[in-house]
Amino acid sequence: MVTASGRFRRSAMVVDREDGGAAAGACTRSPAEGVGAGGLSLGAFGLLSPQLTTAAARASAHRRSEGCVDMLGPKYYASRMDLRQMEYFLAVVDHGGVNKAAAALRVAQPSLSQAVRKLEKDLGVELFFRVGRGLVLAPAGEAFVGPARMILREVDAAQNAVRDVSEVRTGRIDIASLSDLSTDPLSVWVAKFRALHPEIRFRIEERDDPADVIALVKSGVCELGFLSAPVSGTDVVAEQLVDQRLVLVSPPGTEDRWPARVPVSTLSGVPLVLGERGTATRDYIEKVLRTHDVEPRIVVEVRQRGAVLPMVLAGGAVAIVPLRVALDARHRGGVLRELVPSLSMGIGAIHRCAKLTNATSQFLAFSKQSLNDWVRAIERRMAAGDSLVDAAVRTANETDRRVRQANLDISPWGDRRV
């Protein structure tokens, strides 16, 4: 019966079908129902053409006119279309018929025909005119070709973006680190990792208190944390990475003041530059010195670790710092000496129990490998007769040269130079 009411009722049913098959008067429907065989829906990507959005808005308005509370909104009605249906539709258009399209897609011809008919039913229009045994593109079909191609292109771009992240081609790694570790070794790991993965971005949060690093990781603000002290009794996964050697650094021109290996017990009365009280490195150094009956003579206390070496190089005092940090001072004339017995601080990594993203997981594995390579290279050179300091200098020079060269091969925009 063709009446105004009948036309309205049919129209209402049609646009509801864009929602995945809801009947015109239905007031509730689970968003999980009616998912097509293609598995993906347009709403998952927010890819709604103007034509589909308009129809969806009519569907939503109709449900409200029926006295229903519309919990879903217009976009939901246009989100149920099966991407595979659009693929099949475009294949028929591109290949000029169902049989050729089915052969190109390697699907059964009846399955393809059924998918096209289902798409027409969902849209409420004829996309093709059936003329004899062939198909002729209808005006509605012509109008649908452009939006369908655009939607599939956008879906493909979205999938590629996700794939790039999962395959560590792009993404961001959020790290929390003690200030004592951010300069070294973290900066070295980041530089070396970016040489291999130039599209990966890093955000590093520095903190002086280990509790703050743990809090950043537990809250999810950062995915990975680096500490210089063992972590226990927290709701995070912790693993020890390496023991970091500490050495003595004194001002330029003091080579004759110290033996090649300096006993810790001889540091009594020696003026020291140390970091702020309460930091992990400061607490550890004071504890070790007192263990050897040496009361630290702290003449300069600095909040920022970066101020320690300039103070030493200016002749103000001596400092006890990690070996790699001390190498920077040596380049500027500082005098390095190994301490006896040796001093070392553990470096550990923490993360939540949840699975790490691929990029972060690979960065952590890369950091472990980098540490192992550093330790083994120094051990080999010491076995060949080098002192600890000389072995570290040669290893650092070789490593830094390789990292600099690798990063020079990357343009400022992250593309490799041709």
Side-chain angles (χ1 to χ4, degrees):
M1 178 178 178
V2 181
T3 64
S5 175
R7 284 194 295 270
F8 177 81
R9 178 67 62 186
R10 183 176 185 279
S11 175
M13 291 181 68
V14 166
V15 292
D16 255 6
R17 292 296 298 182
E18 293 175 356
D19 166 32
C27 291
T28 59
R29 184 170 183 82
S30 166
E33 294 173 6
V35 177
L40 292 173
S41 65
L42 307 186
F45 296 92
L47 302 173
L48 306 175
S49 71
Q51 296 94 326
L52 296 181
T53 301
T54 300
R58 291 199 303 270
S60 180
H62 169 66
R63 288 169 69 86
R64 291 195 299 272
S65 73
E66 295 278 313
C68 303
V69 177
D70 189 13
M71 301 292 290
L72 303 175
K75 283 194 173 184
Y76 173 68
Y77 296 100
S79 70
R80 311 309 296 168
M81 193 181 307
D82 192 337
L83 293 175
R84 187 178 298 169
Q85 293 172 353
M86 278 191 290
E87 265 190 287
Y88 287 178
F89 163 75
L90 290 175
V92 173
V93 173
D94 293 339
H95 293 282
V98 173
N99 291 333
K100 291 182 179 180
L105 294 174
R106 296 185 179 181
V107 299
Q109 182 268 332
S111 296
L112 190 147
S113 296
Q114 184 180 5
V116 172
R117 285 194 296 270
K118 177 67 165 58
L119 177 60
E120 290 178 316
K121 188 177 180 182
D122 288 345
L123 290 173
V125 295
E126 282 189 317
L127 299 175
F128 297 99
F129 292 135
R130 274 69 180 175
V131 180
R133 298 178 60 85
L135 298 178
V136 176
L137 198 60
E142 293 177 359
F144 188 58
V145 170
R149 292 196 195 281
M150 179 195 71
I151 287 168
L152 292 181
R153 281 196 299 268
E154 293 295 331
V155 170
D156 188 57
Q159 291 173 328
N160 286 337
V162 173
R163 191 178 300 114
D164 284 347
V165 171
S166 65
E167 295 177 1
V168 199
R169 289 200 291 257
T170 62
R172 189 179 80 177
I173 300 175
D174 297 315
I175 297 174
S177 173
L178 283 179
S179 301
D180 287 349
L181 302 177
S182 60
T183 301
D184 185 274
L186 183 55
S187 63
V188 177
W189 298 339
V190 168
K192 292 171 70 174
F193 191 78
R194 286 205 72 256
L196 298 175
H197 306 282
E199 296 298 330
I200 295 293
R201 294 174 293 117
F202 285 84
R203 183 178 65 86
I204 299 174
E205 295 270 359
E206 290 186 349
R207 294 294 186 271
D208 293 326
D209 190 338
D212 292 337
V213 174
I214 295 171
L216 285 170
V217 173
K218 289 176 67 175
S219 67
V221 172
C222 294
E223 193 176 9
L224 190 63
F226 289 103
L227 300 168
S228 58
V231 177
S232 60
T234 63
D235 299 328
V236 295
V237 177
E239 50 185 311
Q240 188 80 6
L241 300 182
V242 74
D243 285 332
Q244 183 176 225
R245 292 287 291 270
L246 304 180
V247 296
L248 183 73
V249 182
S250 65
T254 61
E255 290 84 355
D256 296 336
R257 167 72 175 80
W258 310 101
R261 306 176 75 211
V262 178
V264 173
S265 59
T266 64
L267 297 179
S268 182
V270 174
L272 291 169
V273 180
L274 289 181
E276 191 175 29
R277 187 182 299 276
T279 59
T281 303
R282 161 81 177 261
D283 292 346
Y284 172 74
I285 291 173
E286 286 191 290
K287 179 181 178 181
V288 169
L289 291 176
R290 292 190 176 106
T291 300
H292 290 83
D293 297 323
V294 174
E295 184 60 33
R297 183 190 169 197
I298 302 169
V299 297
V300 180
E301 181 179 288
V302 295
R303 177 176 176 79
Q304 298 297 326
R305 170 177 157 174
V308 171
L309 291 183
M311 196 69 63
V312 172
L313 295 173
V318 303
I320 298 174
V321 299
L323 177 57
R324 285 237 16 159
V325 175
L327 297 179
D328 292 336
R330 187 177 185 276
H331 292 319
R332 292 184 280 169
V335 177
L336 274 58
R337 291 293 185 266
E338 185 179 351
L339 291 166
V340 183
S342 64
L343 275 65
S344 62
M345 290 184 64
I347 298 178
I350 60 170
H351 58 83
R352 294 197 299 172
C353 296
K355 182 180 178 181
L356 294 173
T357 60
N358 282 355
T360 302
S361 177
Q362 288 203 27
F363 176 72
L364 180 57
F366 179 85
S367 301
K368 295 177 185 177
Q369 186 61 50
S370 179
L371 281 172
N372 290 334
D373 291 345
W374 165 260
V375 170
R376 285 198 298 268
I378 290 178
E379 289 175 345
R380 285 196 301 270
R381 289 189 165 96
M382 290 181 68
D386 282 355
S387 66
L388 170 66
V389 172
D390 289 340
V393 168
R394 293 177 59 188
T395 301
N397 287 341
E398 181 180 338
T399 300
D400 292 346
R401 179 186 58 78
R402 288 200 303 264
V403 172
R404 282 194 301 269
Q405 186 57 53
N407 282 312
L408 283 174
D409 289 338
I410 305 171
S411 78
W413 299 277
D415 298 325
R416 294 193 176 277
R417 292 175 181 170
V418 179

